[in-house]
Amino acid sequence: VSKMSITNTPTSNDACLSIVHSLMCHRQGGESETFAKRAIESLVKKLKEKKDELDSLITAITTNGAHPSKCVTIQRTLDGRLQVAGRKGFPHVIYARLWRWPDLHKNELKHVKYCQFAFDLKADNVCVNPYHYERVVSPGIGTLMVKDEYEFENQPSHSGADGHHQTIQHQPSRPGGPQESFSNPALLPPPEGSSSASTSAFSSLTAGASTPDYWCSIAYFEMDVQVGETFKVPASCPTVTVDGYVDPSGGDRFCLGQLSNVHRTEAIERARLHIGKGVQLECKGEGDVWVRCLSDHAVFVQSYYLDREAGRAPGDAVHKIYPSAYIKVFDLRQCHRQMQQQAATAQAAAAAQAAAVAGNIPGPGSVGGIAPAISLSAAAGIGVDDLRRLCILRMSFVKGWGPDYPRQSIKETPCWIEIHLHRALQLLDEVLHTMPIADPQPLD
């Protein structure tokens, strides 16, 4: 039998198809078949010219790392991430999840000493051999791409085109009460003094900036109706709790239990009972935001920062934050960079579009150049609202939404909040002041 299995293992001289088929047999099942196949096909094609590396990969995977193997490298991309089936992720993480640890979080990989092209070494090529990395379970947040049956209410799953789940789960750091997380150094953001080029550029830009009197304002909604007044949190209260109790709100506490709504249905009433201790929002430094789930039920968050951390497109995923997890959901520097880039893109596109309309662009682009025109109008279509969205967090209590749930948008969930971050909105005003963008004009 062993002879058979040895001879059945393909080599780099075999057809791509049979190599992919063989490697597919060893996947761990955390990803959909479509995604796994595309990821493996793309890797095998890239290695076809490097036969010794392809053989190393085949040996490593088919023997489950029983034999030492060489580095298996692909070229590093500009942002370090690899796109597979419309999703972006770090290459070494994608393949380690595929063949070794389906629930791996991107911060949990450490390369072995003899790996010469490990991701962290920042070389032009990146080693994606899963057996050149070890898993160190971080005390931080585990990200699981799995479905939670209780939350699905026995509805059929509405998975993405790829059969891939868009709800990313964030577990607490480890079993034990929330008090453990408070003293956990791995969960704290880097010290204020941490220096890097972008940091210093950012501090000089915001130096002497007036801090707003209120660091955020919170609006509470039931389905698509705002209930009660918007609650403003003074800068003197960096930590605010939003809970389901009936005490009067004030200062650092917004109580949703006391708010009445004539349109409230029985389903909303039932969901509200489960808000309980709710969530705690904490503003750190000049405007980063962390969330702690104090409720007995998970909360679901829309956060561009977490999307980016998970290697997703902004607005592409919903993040499920479990009871007692403590997690960063907003980064002011990153948001500022993003709004500057988007405003610059929109401004350049609008100018190019105006020139194209006036017929001032000679060359191939002007002759039936339908593709450039489409991408231009899409970029020129970035309006102020799109940029404002970068400065807003949305959070649903108890019930999830998105492709994995019967509810397609947060406006279909029974009780949710929208948080406007004032320092970020202030920075947006400054960006728009230096780079005004016109709101998109309707196309005739």
Side-chain angles (χ1 to χ4, degrees), residues 79-137:
D79 68 350
R81 295 183 301 172
L82 179 70
Q83 182 147 344
V84 177
R87 275 170 51 201
K88 276 191 149 190
F90 294 113
H92 63 312
V93 177
I94 291 177
Y95 294 108
R97 270 190 198 141
L98 212 60
W99 283 307
R100 292 193 73 183
W101 306 285
D103 60 345
L104 177 75
H105 185 252
K106 72 176 171 55
N107 297 337
E108 293 178 334
L109 283 185
K110 193 176 116 213
H111 61 89
V112 294
K113 285 196 179 70
Y114 53 83
C115 180
Q116 296 171 309
F117 294 98
F119 183 81
D120 293 339
L121 299 178
K122 302 268 190 289
D124 288 344
N125 288 332
V126 179
C127 177
V128 292
N129 182 339
Y131 292 95
H132 275 204
Y133 294 89
E134 286 163 357
R135 184 177 191 178
V136 278
V137 177

Side-chain angles (χ1 to χ4, degrees), residues 29-302:
E31 297 285 4
S32 72
E33 191 167 351
T34 327
F35 180 84
K37 194 157 185 245
R38 286 214 206 152
I40 296 173
E41 274 170 357
S42 129
L43 180 57
V44 170
K45 279 182 188 150
K46 285 180 184 146
L47 296 173
K48 247 338 214 179
E49 301 306 307
K50 303 192 271 192
K51 292 200 183 302
D52 54 334
E53 294 192 19
L54 183 50
D55 281 323
S56 267
L57 176 73
I58 295 168
T59 305
I61 303 306
T62 55
T63 64
N64 297 329
H67 302 296
S69 51
K70 291 197 285 228
C71 285
V72 175
T73 63
I74 60 173
Q75 204 171 354
R76 183 184 290 271
T77 57
L78 275 177
D79 68 350
R81 295 183 301 172
L82 179 70
Q83 182 147 344
V84 177
R87 275 170 51 201
K88 276 191 149 190
F90 294 113
H92 63 312
V93 177
I94 291 177
Y95 294 108
R97 270 190 198 141
L98 212 60
W99 283 307
R100 292 193 73 183
W101 306 285
D103 60 345
L104 177 75
H105 185 252
K106 72 176 171 55
N107 297 337
E108 293 178 334
L109 283 185
K110 193 176 116 213
H111 61 89
V112 294
K113 285 196 179 70
Y114 53 83
C115 180
Q116 296 171 309
F117 294 98
F119 183 81
D120 293 339
L121 299 178
K122 302 268 190 289
D124 288 344
N125 288 332
V126 179
C127 177
V128 292
N129 182 339
Y131 292 95
H132 275 204
Y133 294 89
E134 286 163 357
R135 184 177 191 178
V136 278
V137 177
S138 74
I141 290 56
T143 305
L144 304 179
M145 306 281 188
V146 293
K147 295 189 286 188
D148 183 310
E149 291 312 321
Y150 165 73
E151 277 297 337
F152 277 75
E153 301 153 349
N154 306 321
Q155 294 281 344
S157 158
H158 305 258
S159 290
D162 209 19
H164 173 71
H165 310 304
Q166 308 297 69
T167 309
I168 297 177
Q169 309 200 353
H170 300 269
Q171 306 278 5
S173 51
R174 56 171 174 264
Q179 67 282 355
E180 247 183 316
S181 324
F182 278 101
S183 58
N184 190 334
L187 285 176
L188 296 175
E192 288 307 306
S194 66
S195 65
S196 74
S198 67
T199 310
S200 53
F202 177 84
S203 359
S204 63
L205 187 136
T206 61
S210 54
T211 43
D213 296 340
Y214 297 94
W215 71 266
C216 76
S217 51
I218 306 171
Y220 168 66
F221 293 83
E222 292 176 359
M223 310 294 273
D224 58 354
V225 176
Q226 182 175 348
V227 176
E229 298 286 311
T230 298
F231 182 79
K232 289 182 166 180
V233 185
S236 55
C237 298
T239 304
V240 60
T241 306
V242 183
D243 60 37
Y245 301 127
V246 293
D247 304 356
S249 300
D252 62 354
R253 192 165 168 212
F254 185 17
C255 295
L256 306 176
Q258 43 150 357
L259 303 173
S260 56
N261 170 13
V262 290
H263 304 290
R264 189 171 292 155
T265 62
E266 205 178 315
I268 295 175
E269 199 68 80
R270 269 202 313 273
R272 277 170 54 85
L273 294 174
H274 293 294
I275 297 173
K277 293 179 181 171
V279 293
Q280 197 175 56
L281 304 168
E282 190 178 347
C283 179
K284 291 194 176 185
E286 198 184 328
D288 293 353
V289 180
W290 291 62
V291 166
R292 188 184 300 281
C293 177
L294 303 174
S295 168
D296 294 337
H297 293 268
V299 292
F300 295 81
V301 178
Q302 185 180 48

